[in-house]
Amino acid sequence: MTQRVVITGMGAITPLGLSVADFWAGLVAGRSGVGPITRFDTSDFAVKIAAEVKGFDPAAFLDRKEARRMDRYTQFAVAAAKQAWADAGLEGAPLDPERCGVYLGSGIGGMETFAEEITTLIQKGNRRVSPFMVPMMIANMAAGMVAIQFNLQGPNMTTVTACSSANNAIGEAYHAILAGRADLMVTGGAEASILPIAIAGFNNMAALSTRNDAPEQASRPFDKGRDGFVMGEGGGVVVLESLAHAQARGARIYAEVIGYGCAADAYHMVQPPENGEGGARAMRRALADAGLEPSAVGYINAHGTSTPQGDIAETRAIKAVFGEHARRLAVSSTKSMHGHLLGAAGAVELIASVMALREGILPPTINQVEPDPECDLDYVPNEARRTQVDIALSNSFGFGGQNATLIVRRYR
């Protein structure tokens, strides 16, 4: 009998709110989480806006001493994981810890810690560098800390594939359950890179929007006036279980994961090929993994970063994979509201896709003012749409030409 994998818990720390409920409410309302950067002085920066997580207190999720020994990205991951764990009804549940694991993604890891300790080294000398610098900085620490929180002794891995990191982590966790290596996986991604060094680096490669005078309108995927992505931060975590494991404990089921595909552009460090072929390969592989015809998909949560080249390439990839059905598909980019969470993007966008299936509402692409002739699909412009779909596909494409696609189905 073929194994089935279901989602039984979800948690989210995002620029639109500190829970899945608040995140989803913001998406449905078409609310932007973008605003002026408050985490550092932007006086000398060309980019002064980002999608920051607001009002986050790690003490709401962690002991204060414990929190001080975690980078901000790890705090986001643990907080989202604790939400997902409680949401799945796992507190006190009898589990085999060796059959439960953690796969998390992060594009950069503990960049805040790294930047702070480099400054300390330069200004105060090597003896003042924190002994916690390395364990706080390394990208695998979020997965390690989540495992410690819940005593999860099974498979544990961190994916670092830039903006595809969370999708890769979730897809590999899904396959770990399919392969019988685990019964339950806590999986997703986290990122916290709204820092001077990151903003400077991305801006100097002309990747970021400079629409500082209208932050809420800065992220505008597929719109003719788009001028770059908006940096976001946060974390998203889902609990995956085999259907048999979930049913045995009477778990509530949100949706079923049915497909995963990944592929390389093998083309350029940061630019996609004009035809989006790498992303198209990932989508085709996910469809094959799910055993689906393209016409079965009703909604795509696009990578849709709001970059001039990327949005055109993804549109072309969708057309190549879905043919005439591309005209009947609803496609939206929730990054228009929460910004680009880099390595965490795929996790929160999968949660948005699951909620779309569950609630019968498709989140919009806001800031659709002037259509780009080269981006001519149905991007659910500006307002959420009440439409029941059964199958959703979610794309994440990363620097290095690494592409990952997930497919989820309404549970039945």
Side-chain angles (χ1 to χ4, degrees), residues 25 113 132 142 231 242 269 293 319 329 396-397 408:
T113 297
F132 293 101
M231 179 85 78
S242 70
M269 286 178 69
E293 292 297 322
K319 290 178 181 178
L329 274 167
S396 286
F397 307 146
V408 287

Side-chain angles (χ1 to χ4, degrees), residues 84-404:
W85 190 263
D87 187 47
L90 289 166
E91 293 175 348
L95 301 173
D96 179 352
E98 294 186 13
R99 298 284 301 168
C100 303
V102 184
Y103 283 0
L104 291 180
S106 184
I108 301 175
M111 179 176 265
E112 183 173 57
T113 297
F114 185 69
E116 288 176 351
E117 296 304 324
I118 286 290
T119 301
T120 298
L121 175 66
I122 293 170
Q123 295 181 351
K124 299 180 180 180
N126 71 88
R127 293 181 182 276
R128 298 295 297 276
V129 172
S130 170
F132 293 101
M133 189 274 285
V134 172
M136 287 175 66
M137 177 197 76
I138 51 181
N140 68 299
M141 191 48 63
M145 294 307 297
V146 169
I148 290 168
Q149 295 292 318
F150 306 116
N151 188 33
L152 306 181
Q153 301 172 15
N156 193 294
M157 183 173 70
T158 297
T159 56
V160 182
T161 50
C163 307
S164 295
S165 297
N167 262 19
N168 281 130
I170 296 166
E172 296 300 331
Y174 158 66
H175 275 184
I177 296 174
L178 284 182
R181 296 194 297 272
D183 298 321
L184 181 151
M185 295 294 294
V186 177
T187 181
E191 204 79 88
S193 298
I194 302 176
L195 302 163
I197 186 66
I199 295 295
F202 278 113
N203 178 64
N204 289 347
M205 63 182 292
L208 297 179
S209 172
T210 56
R211 200 182 292 262
N212 299 314
D213 56 339
E216 298 86 358
Q217 300 169 28
S219 183
R220 46 201 314 116
F222 308 110
D223 183 77
K224 188 175 182 179
R226 67 193 183 278
D227 68 332
F229 76 84
V230 175
M231 179 85 78
E233 63 176 353
V237 171
V238 297
V239 174
L240 302 187
E241 298 183 62
S242 70
L243 178 59
H245 190 270
Q247 288 176 330
R249 65 181 193 86
R252 174 194 52 203
I253 294 171
Y254 280 108
E256 183 176 1
V257 183
I258 59 172
Y260 164 57
C262 61
D265 290 344
Y267 176 75
H268 190 273
M269 286 178 69
V270 296
Q271 295 177 359
E274 290 185 1
N275 62 3
E277 181 53 32
R281 272 194 295 275
M283 286 187 272
R284 289 191 185 101
R285 288 173 181 173
L287 288 166
D289 192 48
L292 291 178
E293 292 297 322
S295 59
V297 176
Y299 168 66
I300 293 178
N301 188 296
H303 183 56
T305 58
S306 187
T307 56
Q309 292 175 306
D311 291 0
I312 292 173
E314 185 172 13
T315 297
R316 290 172 177 166
I318 291 169
K319 290 178 181 178
V321 173
F322 290 91
E324 285 301 311
H325 185 59
R327 302 290 177 186
R328 296 185 287 273
L329 274 167
V331 180
S332 71
S333 173
T334 53
K335 288 185 180 73
S336 59
M337 293 170 277
H338 56 67
H340 191 353
L341 274 62
L342 306 181
V348 299
E349 290 160 15
L350 181 71
I351 289 170
S353 301
V354 169
M355 292 301 293
L357 297 180
R358 187 174 175 84
E359 300 297 321
I361 302 174
L362 304 182
T365 308
I366 67 168
N367 300 320
Q368 293 289 287
V369 177
E370 185 177 4
D372 183 335
E374 301 225 46
C375 298
D376 55 352
L377 299 177
D378 173 10
Y379 301 112
V380 193
N382 300 315
E383 294 184 358
R385 180 183 302 165
R386 286 198 171 274
T387 302
Q388 185 63 69
V389 298
D390 289 330
I391 295 175
L393 179 151
S394 184
N395 281 331
S396 286
F397 307 146
F399 282 177
Q402 292 164 309
N403 309 287

Side-chain angles (χ1 to χ4, degrees), residues 25 66 83-84 261 378 389 407:
E66 187 178 31
Q83 289 179 355
D378 173 10
V389 298
I407 302 178

